[in-house]
């Protein structure tokens, strides 16, 4: 019985793709069953070949790694997805995590270590290389600090009565009083009063300041 993890490698660089396939195939418990030069090829392969884990480069032509991960996640939810990247664009980390990938690894990682991390990802663990992990940790800390900084603001918003909260939610979408009134079935006069109350309670001098605070606090 073959207990090896069946892996698909997708990378547009043929040297990296084929070299990695060869080296990973030498690792215990791993079988590279296919390679692809772009996301479209990867999706075609996974449509016809049983794959346990897809190792995807973020930057690929035709269909990039993030969109490929998204489509694999929708169509093949039991396939583990791990991103392998040079990590030139930090925003790709958040985008990848949003697709439900189990790992975000950088291409400088030694193959034996990569193999072990792929096994851990396939077993259900989320795996990260040091640099992406550092970015993620810093982002979490900053979010936590922002929430503490705006704790009073957050408390005020969370304590708003239901109708005022509805107005607030539409207000920070930059909608006019007239539009808000139509959407929540209130008069424009009532909406004006609610907006004025919200600004006063939050200590904001303008709608713009309210919107800025809302998004900086994470409540927007």
């Amino acid at each position: 019985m073959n207990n090896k993890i069946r892996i698909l490698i997708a990378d547009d660089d043929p040297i990296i793709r084929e070299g990695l396939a060869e080296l990973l195939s030498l690792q215990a418990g791993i079988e590279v069953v296919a390679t692809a030069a772009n996301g479209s090829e990867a999706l075609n392969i996974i449509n016809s070949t049983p794959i346990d884990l897809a190792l995807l480069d973020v930057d690929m032509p035709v269909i990039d790694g993030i969109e490929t991960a998204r489509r694999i996640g929708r169509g093949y939810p039991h396939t583990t997805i791990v991103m392998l990247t040079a990590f030139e664009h930090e925003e790709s980390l958040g985008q990848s995590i949003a697709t439900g990938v189990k790992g975000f690894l950088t291409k400088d990682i030694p193959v034996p270590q990569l193999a072990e991390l792929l096994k851990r990802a396939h077993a259900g663990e989320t795996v990260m290389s040091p640099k992406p992990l550092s970015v993620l940790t810093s982002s979490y800390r900053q979010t936590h600090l922002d929430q503490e900084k705006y704790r009073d603001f957050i408390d005020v918003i969370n304590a708003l009565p239901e109708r005022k909260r509805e107005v607030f939610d539409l207000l920070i979408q930059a909608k006019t009083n007239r539009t808000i009134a139509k959407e929540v079935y209130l008069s424009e006069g009532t909406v004006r009063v609610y907006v004025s109350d919200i600004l006063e309670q939050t200590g904001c001098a303008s709608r713009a300041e309210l919107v800025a605070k809302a998004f900086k606090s994470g409540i927007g």
Side-chain angles (χ1 to χ4, degrees), residues 7 18 40 62 90 99 116 143 167 190 196 200-201 211:
I7 293 180
E18 300 307 326
S40 179
V62 188
E90 291 186 1
T99 70
E116 288 306 310
T143 299
V167 171
T190 299
S196 178
E200 182 178 354
Q201 288 176 257
V211 171

Side-chain angles (χ1 to χ4, degrees), residues 8 41 52 64 68 82 96 98 100 132 149 163 169 173 178 202-203:
L8 161 69
E41 286 185 13
D52 296 318
D64 66 28
T68 302
V82 174
S96 297
K149 179 180 178 181
R163 298 297 271 165
D169 290 339
Q173 295 176 39
R178 177 175 294 181
T202 57

